Amino acid sequence: MASDSRGETPERDFLREIIDQDIASGRHTAIVVRFPPEPNGYLHIGHAKSITLNFGLARQYGGRCNLRFDDTNPETESIEFVQAIQRDMRWLGVDWGDHLCFASDYFEQLYQWARVLIKKGKAYVDDSGEEAIRQSRGTVTRPGTESPYRSRSVDENLNLFARMRKGAFGDGTRVLRARIDMAHPNMKMRDPLMYRIRHTTHYRQGNAWCVYPFYDWAHGQSDAIEGVTHSICTLEFTVNRPLYDWYLDSLGINPRPRQYEFARLNLGHTITSKRKLRELVSQRHVTGWDDPRMPTIAGLRRRGIPAPAISHFCQLAGTTRVGTVSAPSLLDYSVRHQLNHTARRVMCVLDPLKVTLTNYEGSETISAPYWPRDIDKSEYRPLNFSRTLLINREDFRAEPEAGFRRLAPGESVRLRHACIIRCDDVVRDAQGTVVELLCTYFPKEPGSTQASPPKPRGVIHWVDEERSIPVEVRLYNQLFTTLEPGEDYLEALNPQSIIVKLGARIESSVCNDAPTVRYQFERVGYFCQDRVDSSPDSLVFGRIVTLKDSRARSKKFTKAKKPARTPSVDDSRAEAGPSLQALPSVARAFVERGAMPGELEIAAQWMDETVLAILNGRELDGVPMKADDFGRVVHHAEAGNITVDQGRQMIFILISDGGTVREAGLKVASESGEDLAGLLSVVQATLNLYPDKVEAYRRGKTGLLHFFVGQVMRVTKGQAQPALVRNLLALELSEGM
């Protein structure tokens, strides 16, 4: 198998199998592919799949990928779109080097080839008019009728075509058509159009041309000019392939490119038709092509989605011949997968409610970590703390319902990174609205002379009233309410696709950061500054993605023999996933065979949110992952031996490549940056020293894992990452269970 120069494991699919066979047979020694966008709009998420696929193939096989602009329609194309496409592609991380091409550079060659077909009696000028030609094509069940101009002589056709080029005729009065077969079962072969007359200035060619080639005429020959070996298109071009081949064969072009089709990337609650996207922009349903709600690459970039997350999503979606609609949750997962380890944690209050600490005077600065404990980073930021704070209004209830775990009269909570407070009194305005809470402050420091703090009901986030920063926060949701918006897509526009919070306040530490920094607003979501509307004097933050599934450990479902726990607002979690019975029968059987005791419902959630999303319509029966291995991964994540993100990566590896849980875990652990081989040898040596404790662990005394972690940390003199040590120990110990 060809290797990827970046050291990544290449995905396997039918296209790579074809290329492997072509190389092995000697048909090709070098691979040339291309990405051919039309510069009549901005790139969207569907284009990202084609970009990552084609440039990935070129990189993997040591070939090249041309960026070729299909600029054959001057009425809708512009240099603005050319520049925007190149900008988006560079942001996605692809490099076409010197291989920038334009179909318009081939206009003369295409024109001369059209003359060759005319001379061979395989093309003619038709004066019938657009509507008459459409009517003459027939239907799928009824053959077409021949044009009355089909029998024109070669000389007459050559003369008319030359005059068309010189601008002798008006727009739409004549076309050049191929003479093939008006009764052909493939309607693409019923004397297709090759050229139309357009007295329009081309953004690159100026007024040099009055006739412009249709895409189907320019496509195959442009590939041939560039030496493309594998012309990769989406499935809708399958019916075009016989026509492309007919043109190439009729011109005697050999060797000629071979076309292969794959299923385009479709994303639920999204449209990727450039016509419809253009209408959204022109009718001002969105603010522009780069509106953060748009599926354009520019929109995704402005929203703050990292480029590697888009590539990861395209990989998860897979390359197949079967068209499916990917769930938006799959893209969200890829984004969280990237941001979880790169987005700083800060606090932002979206709907502020004033809190006064009646027994506290002065102010102080708290050093708070940017990262949770399971991320091995040690950066800190200053948090301002004073007598007057702001909390989120939803974190208080004057009359709390059962199970509410926030602040209420007479109740206590812990302020994130700070202390415990108790609500003693509530201040209301003339309309009865709560405007202030009077609270008692309980110092965090041990040894305080104050009474022992009460047990807090939960943890809430906060900011200092005086020194926090006012910001505008935009919460983005799906642009459409239906999974597959059709022609009535405007009726499916989501009125809640953007929710603006104008009175939000954020901790002042963000003022020290670059505008490009991405954050996790704790318990709210992932955010970044809006690169268009934000300024140093007026900060605007947009939500990149919600916090669903971003926790390090899922506690949504309680384990066997433990009382059910009422979820609280602090969990930063989505509502509970599907029950076991809601899963497809094959998936349900897989879970039942592999789940650990007491983890059936947890495994059902993993199956729905991870496995089925990764499969994206493929059958579970055909994957190499074993049910027992799936259950082990879920168990390790729920036990805290690995993070949820690590578990998902392991499942992706098991589904794609098979192997054991240990092998998948080691592949994921190899990304830690540590000397994995050296640390693994220490782990194995430690386990060999205590065979009795290993046996006890495998009989059920899983608390011994802490003992083993301590021993390894002692041997490494505290230099190893504790989380990684725990990962490796759990993987090694589970092999014998």
Side-chain angles (χ1 to χ4, degrees):
M1 184 177 75
S3 61
D4 190 313
S5 61
R6 298 179 304 174
E8 298 177 356
T9 302
E11 60 177 307
R12 301 305 304 161
D13 52 56
F14 75 97
L15 289 173
R16 286 170 168 83
E17 291 174 357
I18 289 170
I19 293 174
D20 287 342
Q21 292 168 5
D22 287 347
I23 292 174
S25 67
R27 171 178 285 171
H28 298 293
T29 57
I31 300 302
V32 181
V33 290
R34 83 287 178 271
F35 173 63
E38 182 180 0
N40 64 349
Y42 280 56
L43 296 180
H44 54 65
I45 187 68
H47 292 118
K49 173 61 183 176
S50 183
I51 291 169
T52 56
L53 174 60
N54 282 286
F55 281 90
L57 289 171
R59 181 177 59 248
Q60 180 180 338
Y61 289 94
R64 79 167 191 265
C65 182
N66 297 344
L67 168 57
R68 180 176 76 236
F69 285 97
D70 167 38
D71 54 351
T72 59
N73 186 357
E75 295 176 306
T76 60
E77 298 160 357
S78 71
I79 191 64
E80 173 200 351
F81 295 131
V82 170
Q83 294 170 344
I85 288 169
Q86 292 184 76
R87 183 169 58 246
D88 290 344
M89 292 179 65
R90 288 192 181 99
W91 177 75
L92 285 172
V94 299
D95 181 12
W96 51 90
D98 297 330
H99 308 298
L100 176 62
C101 310
F102 295 85
S104 56
D105 288 342
Y106 312 142
F107 278 179
E108 183 62 41
Q109 177 65 77
L110 292 169
Y111 177 81
Q112 295 302 331
W113 271 333
R115 284 173 49 83
V116 169
L117 291 191
I118 292 174
K119 290 176 182 179
K120 289 185 175 184
K122 294 186 175 184
Y124 63 97
V125 175
D126 193 339
D127 305 353
S128 298
E130 185 177 328
E131 183 58 31
I133 290 175
R134 183 182 299 111
Q135 293 293 330
S136 70
R137 286 190 183 279
T139 65
V140 176
T141 58
R142 176 172 54 82
T145 56
E146 294 185 355
S147 166
Y149 303 98
R150 200 172 191 264
S151 59
R152 271 177 167 159
S153 69
V154 168
D155 288 342
E156 184 181 5
N157 283 317
L158 286 173
N159 177 268
L160 288 171
F161 190 45
R163 293 170 65 194
M164 287 168 61
R165 174 175 179 171
K166 292 178 180 178
F169 309 113
D171 287 1
T173 56
R174 285 182 166 90
V175 295
L176 183 70
R177 298 177 69 177
R179 183 186 281 112
I180 305 179
D181 181 1
M182 291 303 293
H184 200 286
N186 182 346
M187 294 186 66
K188 289 285 183 180
M189 304 293 283
R190 296 182 184 178
D191 289 12
L193 307 185
M194 296 170 59
Y195 278 89
R196 74 280 209 193
I197 301 172
R198 289 291 185 271
H199 292 270
T200 302
T201 301
H202 190 278
Y203 76 99
R204 293 186 75 246
Q205 298 292 334
N207 296 315
W209 291 88
C210 296
V211 289
Y212 290 94
F214 282 92
Y215 176 80
D216 283 349
W217 165 244
H219 172 81
Q221 288 81 270
S222 296
D223 281 348
I225 291 170
E226 296 172 13
V228 170
T229 58
H230 296 76
S231 176
I232 298 171
C233 304
T234 46
L235 286 175
E236 61 265 33
F237 291 99
T238 302
V239 295
N240 300 60
R241 187 184 347 132
L243 176 58
Y244 302 154
D245 290 345
W246 186 90
Y247 283 141
L248 293 167
D249 291 341
S250 297
L251 292 169
I253 295 175
N254 190 47
R256 59 178 170 83
R258 294 177 180 270
Q259 178 175 304
Y260 303 94
E261 304 87 17
F262 71 99
R264 66 188 301 170
L265 191 154
N266 295 303
L267 186 63
H269 296 278
T270 303
I271 57 173
T272 53
S273 160
K274 280 195 280 189
R275 173 182 63 82
K276 295 176 182 177
L277 293 176
R278 233 182 343 259
E279 289 176 355
L280 288 176
V281 174
S282 64
Q283 297 178 21
R284 299 187 178 181
H285 297 291
V286 294
T287 58
W289 286 96
D290 67 344
D291 188 299
R293 296 166 293 173
M294 289 278 275
T296 56
I297 302 301
L300 298 174
R301 180 170 69 251
R302 180 177 171 185
R303 186 160 175 164
I305 291 178
I310 296 177
S311 298
H312 185 247
F313 166 63
C314 292
Q315 183 183 17
L316 291 181
T319 303
T320 69
R321 292 189 177 97
V322 180
T324 58
V325 177
S326 295
S329 60
L330 192 63
L331 175 59
D332 291 348
Y333 162 66
S334 295
V335 175
R336 295 188 196 101
H337 171 79
Q338 178 74 19
L339 293 179
N340 185 46
H341 293 274
T342 58
R344 293 177 172 180
R345 274 59 166 176
V346 297
M347 293 189 290
C348 181
V349 174
L350 301 188
D351 188 9
L353 174 61
K354 182 177 179 180
V355 170
T356 299
L357 305 179
T358 56
N359 63 332
Y360 181 85
E361 299 294 339
S363 63
E364 60 185 290
T365 301
I366 300 170
S367 181
Y370 274 120
W371 311 98
R373 284 175 294 179
D374 66 333
I375 295 180
D376 187 29
K377 295 183 181 180
S378 56
E379 296 178 87
Y380 290 81
R381 86 277 192 184
L383 277 181
N384 299 315
F385 183 88
S386 68
R387 175 184 175 88
T388 307
L389 309 174
L390 299 172
I391 68 170
N392 219 23
R393 184 169 292 275
E394 69 174 13
D395 286 340
F396 172 78
R397 293 285 189 279
E399 298 178 359
E401 63 273 17
F404 182 70
R405 301 180 67 84
R406 291 292 176 271
L407 200 56
E411 300 293 348
S412 304
V413 295
R414 181 178 297 280
L415 298 180
R416 178 79 163 143
H417 302 302
C419 59
I420 293 174
I421 63 171
R422 182 186 65 220
C423 180
D424 300 321
D425 203 359
V426 177
V427 180
R428 301 176 184 268
D429 62 14
Q431 289 73 40
T433 302
V434 176
V435 295
E436 184 180 3
L437 305 179
L438 304 179
C439 298
T440 297
Y441 156 83
F442 294 89
K444 183 179 180 182
E445 295 77 10
S448 171
T449 58
Q450 199 165 348
S452 298
K455 184 177 181 180
R457 294 169 60 87
V459 180
I460 64 175
H461 63 285
W462 56 278
V463 294
D464 182 80
E465 181 185 40
E466 181 180 353
R467 289 174 287 180
S468 59
I469 308 298
V471 293
E472 176 183 329
V473 174
R474 299 171 180 175
L475 306 178
Y476 296 114
N477 299 302
Q478 298 292 346
L479 187 56
F480 297 98
T481 57
T482 57
L483 181 64
E484 298 184 57
E487 285 304 314
D488 58 348
Y489 67 99
L490 292 178
E491 297 178 10
L493 282 169
N494 180 8
Q496 299 296 312
S497 63
I498 178 172
I499 300 171
V500 179
K501 300 287 187 179
L502 295 175
R505 303 289 287 263
I506 194 170
E507 61 181 74
S508 60
S509 65
V510 302
C511 293
N512 301 321
D513 296 333
T516 54
V517 172
R518 298 175 178 90
Y519 301 97
Q520 182 191 113
F521 290 0
E522 297 198 46
R523 296 176 43 233
V524 180
Y526 291 99
F527 289 79
C528 72
Q529 282 194 45
D530 187 284
R531 62 185 180 87
V532 174
D533 295 336
S534 192
S535 68
D537 298 327
S538 181
L539 295 180
V540 178
F541 285 90
R543 184 168 65 190
I544 305 170
V545 68
T546 63
L547 283 180
K548 181 180 178 181
D549 301 329
S550 63
R551 67 276 188 193
R553 267 183 83 186
S554 170
K555 294 182 181 177
K556 188 182 301 176
F557 296 109
T558 55
K559 298 186 179 182
K561 300 183 180 179
K562 289 188 179 180
R565 176 181 177 279
T566 304
S568 65
V569 181
D570 187 44
D571 291 333
S572 302
R573 304 177 178 116
E575 296 178 0
S579 68
L580 181 65
Q581 298 306 314
L583 293 173
S585 58
V586 174
R588 184 167 65 248
F590 198 86
V591 170
E592 289 173 336
R593 289 199 309 270
M596 299 288 184
E599 292 185 343
L600 274 176
E601 292 301 317
I602 296 170
Q605 180 187 348
W606 274 71
M607 174 61 67
D608 177 72
E609 294 183 351
T610 297
V611 178
L612 295 182
I614 291 173
L615 288 173
N616 192 28
R618 290 174 290 166
E619 294 298 327
L620 184 62
D621 285 342
V623 304
M625 180 176 67
K626 301 179 180 64
D628 288 347
D629 289 343
F630 164 68
R632 287 191 181 97
V633 173
V634 173
H635 174 74
H636 280 313
E638 293 305 311
N641 300 332
I642 58 175
T643 66
V644 169
D645 276 340
Q646 288 172 329
R648 288 199 179 94
Q649 292 178 62
M650 290 168 65
I651 285 176
F652 179 66
I653 291 169
L654 291 169
I655 288 175
S656 303
D657 305 328
T660 66
V661 171
R662 178 179 180 274
E663 292 167 344
L666 292 179
K667 286 182 181 179
V668 173
S670 66
E671 300 176 0
S672 65
E674 285 224 9
D675 175 13
L676 190 64
L679 184 56
L680 188 59
S681 65
V682 174
V683 166
Q684 292 169 339
T686 300
L687 296 179
N688 290 336
L689 284 174
Y690 303 99
D692 54 336
K693 287 183 169 57
V694 170
E695 183 63 28
Y697 176 93
R698 290 171 174 167
R699 288 199 306 267
K701 293 187 177 181
T702 54
L704 285 168
L705 187 61
H706 300 290
F707 167 80
F708 290 121
V709 171
Q711 295 303 309
V712 173
M713 294 302 295
R714 181 180 60 81
V715 173
T716 61
K717 298 181 180 180
Q719 298 302 306
Q721 299 178 23
L724 180 59
V725 170
R726 185 182 179 93
N727 292 170
L728 297 179
L729 282 166
L731 292 170
E732 293 295 307
L733 287 165
S734 67
E735 280 298 285
M737 297 178 68

